[in-house]
Amino acid sequence: MSSKTEFGTKLGLIAATVGSAIGLGNVWRFPAETQMNGGAAFLLLYILCVLALGIPVMLAEFSLGRGGRSDAVGVFRRLSPGKGWWIAGVFAVLASYLIICYYMVVAGWTLEYLFESIGGGLYDSLYSGEPAEALRGTFPAKMDDYVSSDLRPLMFTFIMIGVNIAVLLGGVKKGIENLSNVLMPVLFVILIAMCFVSLSLPDAGEGVAYFLDPDFSKITPRVVINALGQAFFSLSLGMGILITYSSYYPADTRLVRTSVIVSLLSLLVAVLMGLIIFPAVKSFGLDREPLEGATLVFVTLPEVFAQLPWPRLWSSLFFLLLLVAALTSTVSIAEVSVAMMQDRFKMSRRRAVLTVMLPLLVFSSACSLSFGSLSDMKIFGLTIFDLLDTFTTDILLPVVSIAVCIYMGWFAPKGLLTDELSNHGALHSRWTGPVLFIIRYIAPVMIALILIFNYI
Ligand code: PHE
């Protein structure tokens, strides 16, 4: 069954993997983290973490997936039967499932904002003749209305669940791969167009300097840990996604090359987003407010667009970009559970997709309502949405990544990594030694520090 499923083309498998890696993590989490952690110095650390730790751990996940040719739980069972390692896979599936529950809600908001941008609802007072200045104060209230009213965001979340079901039912090649082939170029075209607009604004240079001119005195242990966390999240590590996708890679796919392309494109998107956001925010004097995740994209940027000629056009393009980023990520993360259902419980594709996705109608609703009528329901002092976010990113993802590193570094069948990186001897791979060293000694320790720091 899934051992015969493969991506159809090299470009397609890269588009799908890049599509997973490029998500809300690059588009909004990255600029917000950059601002919170002091600007350019954070960018440098993030790049360093992606190159020195992210790529080796990605290669560990790729080798595990293609070597084991199964889902995130099945790979461990096949490679090390009778040992308890499959529990690491269960954690990966659990993490991925809890993440979709709330990520789907955010994907729903992006659709809602796209809809309101195209329809003009987001900028309505602009069209009733008021100056752009007067519009400024209206966005927080609009966000409140769009995000925390009960019914509207639910409706958009349901639409996103439906779209995901349609893509997943299409299968790996016809659904996921084709979707990514079309959407990834769209994403890059929009990004580059918006970059030009932002860089041509008055005083854009100051924003660029903030983003690119590092002040090393800003680096603290906390900043290093945040950069590492951001690198892992934005590369989709620790979620079982890369294990699942690489199980669909043909035997002649060059893993090292693929990991480098995927990581560099993911970095590129983060950098382009920085070049869009910081100049724009500086140029309109909006840089004094903290660019927290949700307010950055749903309040600050609409304020920027309102000052530009054709606000609806830029706003629609931006939310389309966000929607593309979110959609190619949600299908990838849902595929983790779908693949597991197909492999483990021998379900048909259709049955697996429905079994995984239909319960989201309830779980994602709870996350969505935690901004509305369930906002008072707190568990450990957190709303349902925040609880899932914190539990997955602060605990489950690092735990899974550490387990993958320790397994691939010390316990996997001998030669697995070498065989996979060299395509069973067909390629000469000088990277096996350094990759092995990093996943054995450096990455687990660094990731453990994230866990410990988050406790403190
Ligand atoms: N790299 C993805 C992102 O930046 C991580 C992710 C993938 C998150 C899939 C959720 C779902 O958003």
Side-chain angles (χ1 to χ4, degrees):
M1 48 181 353
S2 90
S3 55
K4 287 198 215 84
T5 308
E6 280 187 358
F7 285 115
T9 63
K10 287 199 171 59
L11 207 64
L13 76 85
I14 288 182
T17 314
V18 170
S20 167
I22 297 171
L24 301 173
N26 310 57
V27 180
W28 94 20
R29 195 176 185 273
F30 170 74
E33 288 277 308
T34 304
Q35 202 218 24
M36 240 166 44
N37 290 287
F42 178 80
L43 170 66
L44 266 186
L45 285 173
Y46 166 64
I47 294 177
L48 206 71
C49 289
V50 167
L51 299 180
L53 296 169
I55 292 182
V57 177
M58 184 181 280
L59 284 170
E61 290 204 16
F62 280 173
S63 306
L64 186 55
R66 197 179 58 178
R69 281 263 173 240
S70 186
D71 65 283
V73 179
V75 285
F76 291 103
R77 285 191 191 262
R78 282 182 78 165
L79 292 169
S80 300
K83 311 265 166 55
W85 283 103
W86 58 273
I87 297 172
V90 172
F91 273 45
V93 175
L94 179 68
S96 68
Y97 200 75
L98 295 179
I99 291 174
I100 344 177
C101 296
Y102 70 84
Y103 205 92
M104 202 59 93
V105 175
V106 186
W109 297 344
T110 64
L111 180 63
E112 187 174 1
Y113 268 76
L114 174 63
F115 186 77
E116 293 296 336
S117 302
I118 296 175
L122 194 55
Y123 301 96
D124 48 5
S125 53
L126 204 58
Y127 298 99
S128 54
E130 291 194 41
E133 295 304 309
L135 204 69
R136 267 205 186 174
T138 67
F139 293 109
K142 286 218 162 94
M143 175 175 165
D144 212 38
D145 183 33
Y146 292 165
V147 165
S148 12
S149 64
D150 283 345
L151 227 59
R152 283 174 54 111
L154 263 191
M155 192 181 84
F156 285 99
T157 303
F158 284 4
I159 298 178
M160 285 308 289
I161 295 176
V163 174
N164 273 273
I165 292 180
V167 176
L168 290 164
L169 282 179
V172 172
K173 230 190 279 188
K174 290 218 182 87
I176 298 177
E177 184 172 343
N178 285 348
L179 175 88
S180 314
N181 277 336
V182 176
L183 291 188
M184 280 299 110
V186 172
L187 180 130
F188 276 94
V189 171
I190 301 179
L191 261 176
I192 291 169
M194 298 203 73
C195 224
F196 273 111
V197 174
S198 196
L199 290 175
S200 58
L201 292 171
D203 298 328
E206 278 178 50
V208 175
Y210 171 80
F211 183 51
L212 295 181
D213 192 7
D215 170 359
F216 291 105
S217 65
K218 299 235 166 93
I219 298 181
T220 60
R222 179 83 246 177
V223 171
V224 178
I225 296 296
N226 288 345
L228 185 62
Q230 172 62 24
F232 272 59
F233 188 86
S234 78
L235 294 177
S236 303
L237 296 172
M239 307 177 185
I241 297 177
L242 300 180
I243 300 177
T244 307
Y245 269 19
S246 56
S247 75
Y248 305 143
Y249 285 1
D252 63 351
T253 302
R254 294 168 170 239
L255 297 186
V256 176
R257 187 181 286 182
T258 306
S259 72
V260 171
I261 295 176
V262 170
S263 305
L264 291 185
L265 286 176
S266 167
L267 270 181
L268 178 68
V269 170
V271 171
L272 289 176
M273 271 318 290
L275 288 177
I276 293 173
I277 290 194
F278 293 108
V281 163
K282 217 27 172 222
S283 184
F284 294 114
L286 298 168
D287 55 321
R288 281 169 294 276
E289 307 143 36
L291 301 176
E292 256 180 73
T295 28
L296 168 65
V297 285
F298 295 129
V299 174
T300 314
L301 283 180
E303 286 181 352
V304 168
F305 299 139
Q307 319 279 325
L308 296 174
W310 313 308
R312 270 160 81 173
L313 171 73
W314 298 118
S315 185
S316 306
L317 281 179
F318 177 76
F319 288 109
L320 179 64
L321 166 85
L322 213 56
L323 187 69
V324 167
L327 179 61
T328 46
S329 291
T330 46
V331 291
S332 75
I333 203 156
E335 180 64 23
V336 176
S337 301
V338 172
M340 193 208 54
M341 289 295 175
Q342 278 186 280
D343 286 356
R344 188 110 318 272
F345 302 108
K346 305 287 170 246
M347 287 185 187
S348 66
R349 176 94 193 161
R350 194 186 156 79
R351 183 119 185 255
V353 169
L354 296 179
T355 311
V356 168
M357 300 302 286
L358 291 182
L360 288 182
L361 293 174
V362 177
F363 300 142
S364 294
S365 297
C367 292
S368 179
L369 292 174
S370 76
F371 291 90
S373 43
L374 294 183
S375 61
D376 290 332
M377 191 175 135
K378 298 271 168 71
I379 307 165
F380 301 118
L382 298 169
T383 63
I384 303 173
F385 185 103
D386 289 338
L387 179 75
L388 289 184
D389 184 13
T390 311
F391 179 57
T392 49
T393 40
D394 289 0
I395 300 174
L396 279 180
L397 298 186
V399 166
V400 173
S401 287
I402 293 176
V404 167
C405 288
I406 295 181
Y407 177 74
M408 287 302 289
W410 302 95
F411 295 94
K414 218 168 156 353
L416 176 67
L417 191 76
T418 319
D419 284 347
E420 289 303 323
L421 297 192
S422 70
N423 288 355
H424 293 267
L427 305 170
H428 170 68
S429 178
R430 29 196 166 109
W431 293 107
T432 316
V435 167
L436 200 58
F437 181 78
I438 291 170
I439 61 176
R440 272 192 172 168
Y441 301 103
I442 314 231
V445 175
M446 291 294 292
I447 307 166
L449 287 179
I450 304 192
L451 268 175
I452 297 168
F453 256 83
N454 284 332
Y455 271 111
I456 315 172

